[in-house]
CSV table of all heavy atoms in Angstrom, one decimal:
chain,number,residue,atom,x,y,z
N,1,GLY,N,-116.9,-89.1,90.9
N,1,GLY,CA,-115.7,-89.2,91.7
N,1,GLY,C,-115.5,-87.9,92.5
N,1,GLY,O,-116.4,-87.1,92.7
N,2,ARG,N,-114.3,-87.6,92.8
N,2,ARG,CA,-113.9,-86.4,93.6
N,2,ARG,C,-113.7,-85.2,92.7
N,2,ARG,O,-112.6,-84.7,92.5
N,2,ARG,CB,-112.7,-86.7,94.4
N,2,ARG,CG,-112.8,-87.9,95.3
N,2,ARG,CD,-111.5,-88.3,96.1
N,2,ARG,NE,-111.2,-87.3,97.0
N,2,ARG,CZ,-111.6,-87.2,98.3
N,2,ARG,NH1,-112.4,-88.2,98.7
N,2,ARG,NH2,-111.2,-86.3,99.1
N,3,THR,N,-114.8,-84.7,92.2
N,3,THR,CA,-114.8,-83.7,91.2
N,3,THR,C,-114.6,-82.3,91.8
N,3,THR,O,-114.0,-81.4,91.1
N,3,THR,CB,-116.1,-83.6,90.3
N,3,THR,OG1,-117.2,-83.5,91.2
N,3,THR,CG2,-116.2,-84.9,89.5
N,4,GLY,N,-115.0,-82.1,93.0
N,4,GLY,CA,-115.0,-80.8,93.6
N,4,GLY,C,-115.8,-79.8,92.8
N,4,GLY,O,-116.9,-80.1,92.4
N,5,ASN,N,-115.2,-78.6,92.7
N,5,ASN,CA,-115.9,-77.6,91.8
N,5,ASN,C,-114.8,-76.7,91.2
N,5,ASN,O,-113.6,-77.0,91.4
N,5,ASN,CB,-116.9,-76.8,92.7
N,5,ASN,CG,-116.2,-76.1,93.9
N,5,ASN,OD1,-115.0,-75.9,93.9
N,5,ASN,ND2,-117.1,-75.8,94.9
N,6,SER,N,-115.3,-75.8,90.4
N,6,SER,CA,-114.4,-74.8,89.8
N,6,SER,C,-113.5,-75.4,88.7
N,6,SER,O,-112.4,-74.9,88.5
N,6,SER,CB,-113.6,-74.0,90.8
N,6,SER,OG,-114.4,-73.3,91.7
N,7,TYR,N,-113.9,-76.5,88.1
N,7,TYR,CA,-113.1,-77.1,87.1
N,7,TYR,C,-113.6,-76.8,85.7
N,7,TYR,O,-114.8,-76.6,85.5
N,7,TYR,CB,-113.0,-78.7,87.3
N,7,TYR,CG,-114.4,-79.4,87.2
N,7,TYR,CD1,-114.9,-79.8,86.1
N,7,TYR,CD2,-115.1,-79.6,88.4
N,7,TYR,CE1,-116.1,-80.5,86.0
N,7,TYR,CE2,-116.3,-80.2,88.4
N,7,TYR,CZ,-116.8,-80.7,87.2
N,7,TYR,OH,-118.0,-81.3,87.2
N,8,THR,N,-112.6,-76.7,84.8
N,8,THR,CA,-112.9,-76.4,83.4
N,8,THR,C,-113.1,-77.7,82.7
N,8,THR,O,-112.4,-78.7,82.9
N,8,THR,CB,-111.8,-75.6,82.8
N,8,THR,OG1,-111.7,-74.3,83.4
N,8,THR,CG2,-111.9,-75.5,81.3
N,9,MET,N,-114.1,-77.7,81.8
N,9,MET,CA,-114.3,-78.9,80.9
N,9,MET,C,-114.0,-78.5,79.5
N,9,MET,O,-114.3,-77.5,79.0
N,9,MET,CB,-115.8,-79.4,81.0
N,9,MET,CG,-116.2,-79.9,82.4
N,9,MET,SD,-115.2,-81.4,82.8
N,9,MET,CE,-115.7,-82.5,81.6
N,10,GLY,N,-113.3,-79.5,78.8
N,10,GLY,CA,-113.0,-79.3,77.4
N,10,GLY,C,-113.3,-80.5,76.6
N,10,GLY,O,-113.5,-81.6,77.1
N,11,TRP,N,-113.4,-80.2,75.3
N,11,TRP,CA,-113.6,-81.3,74.3
N,11,TRP,C,-112.5,-81.3,73.3
N,11,TRP,O,-112.1,-80.2,72.8
N,11,TRP,CB,-114.9,-81.1,73.5
N,11,TRP,CG,-116.2,-81.5,74.3
N,11,TRP,CD1,-117.0,-80.6,75.0
N,11,TRP,CD2,-116.7,-82.8,74.4
N,11,TRP,NE1,-118.0,-81.3,75.6
N,11,TRP,CE2,-117.9,-82.6,75.3
N,11,TRP,CE3,-116.4,-84.0,74.0
N,11,TRP,CZ2,-118.7,-83.7,75.6
N,11,TRP,CZ3,-117.1,-85.1,74.3
N,11,TRP,CH2,-118.3,-85.0,75.1
N,12,PHE,N,-112.0,-82.5,73.0
N,12,PHE,CA,-110.9,-82.7,72.0
N,12,PHE,C,-111.4,-83.8,71.0
N,12,PHE,O,-112.3,-84.5,71.3
N,12,PHE,CB,-109.6,-83.1,72.6
N,12,PHE,CG,-109.0,-82.1,73.5
N,12,PHE,CD1,-109.5,-81.7,74.7
N,12,PHE,CD2,-107.9,-81.4,73.0
N,12,PHE,CE1,-108.9,-80.8,75.5
N,12,PHE,CE2,-107.3,-80.4,73.8
N,12,PHE,CZ,-107.8,-80.1,75.1
N,13,ARG,N,-110.7,-83.9,69.9
N,13,ARG,CA,-111.0,-85.0,69.0
N,13,ARG,C,-109.7,-85.5,68.4
N,13,ARG,O,-108.7,-84.7,68.3
N,13,ARG,CB,-112.0,-84.6,67.9
N,13,ARG,CG,-111.5,-83.6,66.9
N,13,ARG,CD,-112.6,-83.2,65.9
N,13,ARG,NE,-112.1,-82.2,65.0
N,13,ARG,CZ,-112.9,-81.6,64.2
N,13,ARG,NH1,-114.3,-81.8,64.2
N,13,ARG,NH2,-112.4,-80.7,63.3
N,14,GLN,N,-109.7,-86.7,67.9
N,14,GLN,CA,-108.5,-87.3,67.3
N,14,GLN,C,-108.9,-88.2,66.2
N,14,GLN,O,-109.6,-89.2,66.4
N,14,GLN,CB,-107.6,-88.1,68.3
N,14,GLN,CG,-106.3,-88.5,67.7
N,14,GLN,CD,-105.3,-88.9,68.8
N,14,GLN,OE1,-105.7,-89.3,69.9
N,14,GLN,NE2,-104.0,-88.9,68.5
N,15,ALA,N,-108.5,-87.8,64.9
N,15,ALA,CA,-108.8,-88.6,63.8
N,15,ALA,C,-107.6,-89.6,63.5
N,15,ALA,O,-106.5,-89.3,64.0
N,15,ALA,CB,-109.0,-87.7,62.5
N,16,PRO,N,-107.8,-90.7,62.8
N,16,PRO,CA,-106.8,-91.6,62.5
N,16,PRO,C,-105.6,-91.0,61.9
N,16,PRO,O,-105.7,-90.2,60.9
N,16,PRO,CB,-107.4,-92.6,61.6
N,16,PRO,CG,-108.9,-92.6,61.9
N,16,PRO,CD,-109.1,-91.1,62.2
N,17,GLY,N,-104.4,-91.2,62.5
N,17,GLY,CA,-103.2,-90.7,61.9
N,17,GLY,C,-102.9,-89.2,62.2
N,17,GLY,O,-101.9,-88.6,61.7
N,18,LYS,N,-103.8,-88.6,63.0
N,18,LYS,CA,-103.6,-87.2,63.3
N,18,LYS,C,-103.4,-86.9,64.8
N,18,LYS,O,-103.8,-87.8,65.6
N,18,LYS,CB,-104.8,-86.4,62.8
N,18,LYS,CG,-104.9,-86.4,61.3
N,18,LYS,CD,-106.1,-85.5,60.8
N,18,LYS,CE,-106.2,-85.5,59.3
N,18,LYS,NZ,-107.3,-84.6,58.9
N,19,GLU,N,-102.9,-85.8,65.2
N,19,GLU,CA,-102.8,-85.4,66.6
N,19,GLU,C,-104.1,-85.1,67.2
N,19,GLU,O,-105.0,-84.7,66.5
N,19,GLU,CB,-101.8,-84.2,66.7
N,19,GLU,CG,-100.4,-84.5,66.3
N,19,GLU,CD,-99.5,-83.4,66.4
N,19,GLU,OE1,-99.9,-82.3,66.8
N,19,GLU,OE2,-98.3,-83.5,66.2
N,20,ARG,N,-104.2,-85.2,68.5
N,20,ARG,CA,-105.4,-84.8,69.2
N,20,ARG,C,-105.5,-83.2,69.1
N,20,ARG,O,-104.6,-82.5,69.2
N,20,ARG,CB,-105.2,-85.1,70.7
N,20,ARG,CG,-106.5,-85.0,71.5
N,20,ARG,CD,-106.5,-85.7,72.8
N,20,ARG,NE,-106.4,-87.2,72.6
N,20,ARG,CZ,-106.5,-88.1,73.5
N,20,ARG,NH1,-106.7,-87.7,74.8
N,20,ARG,NH2,-106.4,-89.4,73.2
N,21,GLU,N,-106.8,-82.8,68.8
N,21,GLU,CA,-107.1,-81.5,68.4
N,21,GLU,C,-108.1,-80.9,69.4
N,21,GLU,O,-109.1,-81.5,69.7
N,21,GLU,CB,-107.7,-81.5,67.0
N,21,GLU,CG,-108.1,-80.1,66.5
N,21,GLU,CD,-108.7,-80.2,65.1
N,21,GLU,OE1,-109.5,-81.1,64.8
N,21,GLU,OE2,-108.3,-79.4,64.2
N,22,PHE,N,-107.8,-79.7,69.9
N,22,PHE,CA,-108.7,-79.0,70.8
N,22,PHE,C,-109.9,-78.5,70.0
N,22,PHE,O,-109.8,-78.0,68.9
N,22,PHE,CB,-108.0,-77.8,71.4
N,22,PHE,CG,-108.9,-76.8,72.1
N,22,PHE,CD1,-109.3,-77.1,73.4
N,22,PHE,CD2,-109.4,-75.7,71.5
N,22,PHE,CE1,-110.2,-76.3,74.1
N,22,PHE,CE2,-110.3,-74.8,72.2
N,22,PHE,CZ,-110.6,-75.1,73.5
N,23,LEU,N,-111.1,-78.6,70.6
N,23,LEU,CA,-112.3,-78.2,70.0
N,23,LEU,C,-113.0,-77.0,70.8
N,23,LEU,O,-113.3,-76.0,70.2
N,23,LEU,CB,-113.3,-79.3,70.0
N,23,LEU,CG,-113.0,-80.5,69.0
N,23,LEU,CD1,-114.0,-81.6,69.2
N,23,LEU,CD2,-112.9,-80.0,67.6
N,24,ALA,N,-113.2,-77.2,72.1
N,24,ALA,CA,-113.9,-76.2,72.9
N,24,ALA,C,-113.6,-76.4,74.3
N,24,ALA,O,-113.3,-77.5,74.8
N,24,ALA,CB,-115.4,-76.3,72.6
N,25,ALA,N,-113.8,-75.4,75.1
N,25,ALA,CA,-113.7,-75.4,76.5
N,25,ALA,C,-114.6,-74.5,77.2
N,25,ALA,O,-114.9,-73.4,76.6
N,25,ALA,CB,-112.2,-75.2,77.0
N,26,LEU,N,-115.0,-74.8,78.4
N,26,LEU,CA,-116.0,-73.9,79.1
N,26,LEU,C,-115.6,-73.9,80.6
N,26,LEU,O,-115.4,-75.0,81.2
N,26,LEU,CB,-117.4,-74.5,79.0
N,26,LEU,CG,-118.5,-73.8,79.6
N,26,LEU,CD1,-118.7,-72.4,79.0
N,26,LEU,CD2,-119.8,-74.6,79.4
N,27,SER,N,-115.5,-72.7,81.2
N,27,SER,CA,-115.2,-72.6,82.6
N,27,SER,C,-116.4,-73.1,83.5
N,27,SER,O,-117.5,-73.3,83.0
N,27,SER,CB,-114.9,-71.1,82.9
N,27,SER,OG,-116.0,-70.3,82.7
N,28,TRP,N,-116.1,-73.2,84.8
N,28,TRP,CA,-117.1,-73.7,85.7
N,28,TRP,C,-118.3,-72.8,85.7
N,28,TRP,O,-119.5,-73.3,85.7
N,28,TRP,CB,-116.5,-73.7,87.1
N,28,TRP,CG,-117.5,-74.0,88.2
N,28,TRP,CD1,-118.1,-73.0,89.0
N,28,TRP,CD2,-118.0,-75.2,88.6
N,28,TRP,NE1,-118.9,-73.6,89.9
N,28,TRP,CE2,-118.9,-75.0,89.7
N,28,TRP,CE3,-117.8,-76.5,88.2
N,28,TRP,CZ2,-119.6,-76.0,90.3
N,28,TRP,CZ3,-118.4,-77.6,88.9
N,28,TRP,CH2,-119.3,-77.3,89.9
N,29,SER,N,-118.1,-71.5,85.7
N,29,SER,CA,-119.2,-70.6,85.8
N,29,SER,C,-119.9,-70.3,84.4
N,29,SER,O,-121.0,-69.7,84.4
N,29,SER,CB,-118.8,-69.2,86.3
N,29,SER,OG,-117.8,-68.6,85.5
N,30,GLY,N,-119.3,-70.8,83.4
N,30,GLY,CA,-119.9,-70.6,82.1
N,30,GLY,C,-119.6,-69.3,81.4
N,30,GLY,O,-120.1,-69.0,80.3
N,31,ASP,N,-118.8,-68.4,82.1
N,31,ASP,CA,-118.5,-67.1,81.6
N,31,ASP,C,-117.3,-67.0,80.6
N,31,ASP,O,-117.1,-66.0,80.0
N,31,ASP,CB,-118.3,-66.1,82.7
N,31,ASP,CG,-117.1,-66.5,83.6
N,31,ASP,OD1,-116.7,-67.6,83.6
N,31,ASP,OD2,-116.6,-65.6,84.3
N,32,ILE,N,-116.6,-68.1,80.5
N,32,ILE,CA,-115.4,-68.1,79.6
N,32,ILE,C,-115.6,-69.3,78.7
N,32,ILE,O,-115.6,-70.5,79.1
N,32,ILE,CB,-114.1,-68.2,80.3
N,32,ILE,CG1,-113.9,-67.0,81.2
N,32,ILE,CG2,-112.9,-68.2,79.3
N,32,ILE,CD1,-112.7,-67.0,82.1
N,33,THR,N,-115.6,-69.1,77.4
N,33,THR,CA,-115.8,-70.1,76.4
N,33,THR,C,-114.8,-69.9,75.3
N,33,THR,O,-114.5,-68.7,74.9
N,33,THR,CB,-117.2,-70.2,75.8
N,33,THR,OG1,-118.1,-70.2,76.8
N,33,THR,CG2,-117.4,-71.4,74.9
N,34,THR,N,-114.2,-71.0,74.7
N,34,THR,CA,-113.3,-70.8,73.6
N,34,THR,C,-113.5,-72.0,72.6
N,34,THR,O,-113.9,-73.1,73.1
N,34,THR,CB,-111.8,-70.7,74.0
N,34,THR,OG1,-111.0,-70.5,72.9
N,34,THR,CG2,-111.4,-72.0,74.7
N,35,TYR,N,-113.4,-71.7,71.3
N,35,TYR,CA,-113.6,-72.7,70.3
N,35,TYR,C,-112.5,-72.7,69.3
N,35,TYR,O,-111.9,-71.7,69.0
N,35,TYR,CB,-114.9,-72.4,69.6
N,35,TYR,CG,-116.2,-72.6,70.3
N,35,TYR,CD1,-116.8,-71.5,71.0
N,35,TYR,CD2,-116.8,-73.8,70.4
N,35,TYR,CE1,-118.0,-71.7,71.7
N,35,TYR,CE2,-118.0,-74.0,71.1
N,35,TYR,CZ,-118.6,-72.9,71.7
N,35,TYR,OH,-119.8,-73.0,72.4
N,36,LEU,N,-112.3,-73.9,68.7
N,36,LEU,CA,-111.5,-74.0,67.5
N,36,LEU,C,-112.2,-73.2,66.4
N,36,LEU,O,-113.4,-73.4,66.2
N,36,LEU,CB,-111.3,-75.5,67.1
N,36,LEU,CG,-110.6,-75.8,65.8
N,36,LEU,CD1,-109.1,-75.5,66.0
N,36,LEU,CD2,-110.8,-77.2,65.4
N,37,ASP,N,-111.5,-72.5,65.6
N,37,ASP,CA,-112.1,-71.6,64.6
N,37,ASP,C,-113.0,-72.4,63.6
N,37,ASP,O,-114.1,-72.0,63.2
N,37,ASP,CB,-111.0,-70.9,63.8
N,37,ASP,CG,-110.5,-69.7,64.5
N,37,ASP,OD1,-111.1,-69.3,65.5
N,37,ASP,OD2,-109.4,-69.1,64.1
N,38,SER,N,-112.6,-73.6,63.2
N,38,SER,CA,-113.3,-74.4,62.2
N,38,SER,C,-114.6,-74.9,62.7
N,38,SER,O,-115.4,-75.3,61.9
N,38,SER,CB,-112.4,-75.5,61.7
N,38,SER,OG,-112.1,-76.5,62.7
N,39,VAL,N,-114.9,-74.9,64.0
N,39,VAL,CA,-116.2,-75.3,64.5
N,39,VAL,C,-117.0,-74.2,65.1
N,39,VAL,O,-118.2,-74.5,65.5
N,39,VAL,CB,-116.0,-76.4,65.5
N,39,VAL,CG1,-115.1,-77.6,65.0
N,39,VAL,CG2,-115.4,-75.9,66.8
N,40,LYS,N,-116.5,-73.0,65.1
N,40,LYS,CA,-117.3,-71.9,65.6
N,40,LYS,C,-118.6,-71.7,64.7
N,40,LYS,O,-118.5,-71.8,63.5
N,40,LYS,CB,-116.6,-70.6,65.5
N,40,LYS,CG,-115.5,-70.5,66.6
N,40,LYS,CD,-114.8,-69.1,66.5
N,40,LYS,CE,-113.7,-69.0,67.6
N,40,LYS,NZ,-112.9,-67.7,67.4
N,41,GLY,N,-119.7,-71.5,65.4
N,41,GLY,CA,-121.0,-71.4,64.7
N,41,GLY,C,-121.6,-72.8,64.4
N,41,GLY,O,-122.8,-72.8,64.1
N,42,ARG,N,-120.9,-73.9,64.5
N,42,ARG,CA,-121.5,-75.2,64.3
N,42,ARG,C,-121.6,-76.0,65.6
N,42,ARG,O,-122.5,-76.7,65.8
N,42,ARG,CB,-120.6,-76.0,63.3
N,42,ARG,CG,-120.6,-75.4,61.9
N,42,ARG,CD,-120.0,-76.4,60.9
N,42,ARG,NE,-118.7,-76.7,61.2
N,42,ARG,CZ,-118.2,-78.0,61.4
N,42,ARG,NH1,-119.1,-79.0,61.3
N,42,ARG,NH2,-117.0,-78.2,61.7
N,43,PHE,N,-120.5,-75.9,66.4
N,43,PHE,CA,-120.5,-76.6,67.7
N,43,PHE,C,-120.7,-75.7,68.9
N,43,PHE,O,-120.3,-74.5,68.9
N,43,PHE,CB,-119.1,-77.2,67.9
N,43,PHE,CG,-118.8,-78.4,67.0
N,43,PHE,CD1,-119.6,-78.7,65.9
N,43,PHE,CD2,-117.7,-79.1,67.2
N,43,PHE,CE1,-119.2,-79.7,65.0
N,43,PHE,CE2,-117.3,-80.2,66.4
N,43,PHE,CZ,-118.1,-80.5,65.3
N,44,THR,N,-121.4,-76.2,69.9
N,44,THR,CA,-121.7,-75.4,71.1
N,44,THR,C,-121.4,-76.2,72.3
N,44,THR,O,-121.9,-77.4,72.4
N,44,THR,CB,-123.2,-74.9,71.1
N,44,THR,OG1,-123.5,-74.1,70.0
N,44,THR,CG2,-123.4,-74.1,72.4
N,45,ILE,N,-120.6,-75.7,73.2
N,45,ILE,CA,-120.3,-76.4,74.5
N,45,ILE,C,-121.2,-75.8,75.6
N,45,ILE,O,-121.4,-74.6,75.6
N,45,ILE,CB,-118.8,-76.3,74.8
N,45,ILE,CG1,-118.5,-77.2,76.0
N,45,ILE,CG2,-118.4,-74.9,75.0
N,45,ILE,CD1,-117.0,-77.3,76.3
């Protein structure tokens, strides 16, 4: 669709009965990355 550019992509998850939880995000250029502490070292965006 009309994605343009310079958008950030993120990943979230939601388990049954729980709130949606942030996992990881990555800027357009790839220079800014952030992770949930519990997945650092295991997950890579």
Side-chain angles (χ1 to χ4, degrees):
R2 302 175 69 86
T3 55
N5 56 25
S6 299
Y7 58 91
T8 292
M9 295 297 299
W11 284 97
F12 293 76
R13 68 186 179 190
Q14 188 165 23
K18 296 185 178 181
E19 296 181 356
R20 190 163 296 187
E21 179 181 44
F22 170 81
L23 293 174
L26 182 64
S27 64
W28 170 263
S29 64
D31 62 337
I32 302 174
T33 310
T34 185
Y35 292 94
L36 179 70
D37 283 345
S38 65
V39 305
K40 287 181 179 177
R42 298 193 298 124
F43 291 11
T44 302
I45 187 171

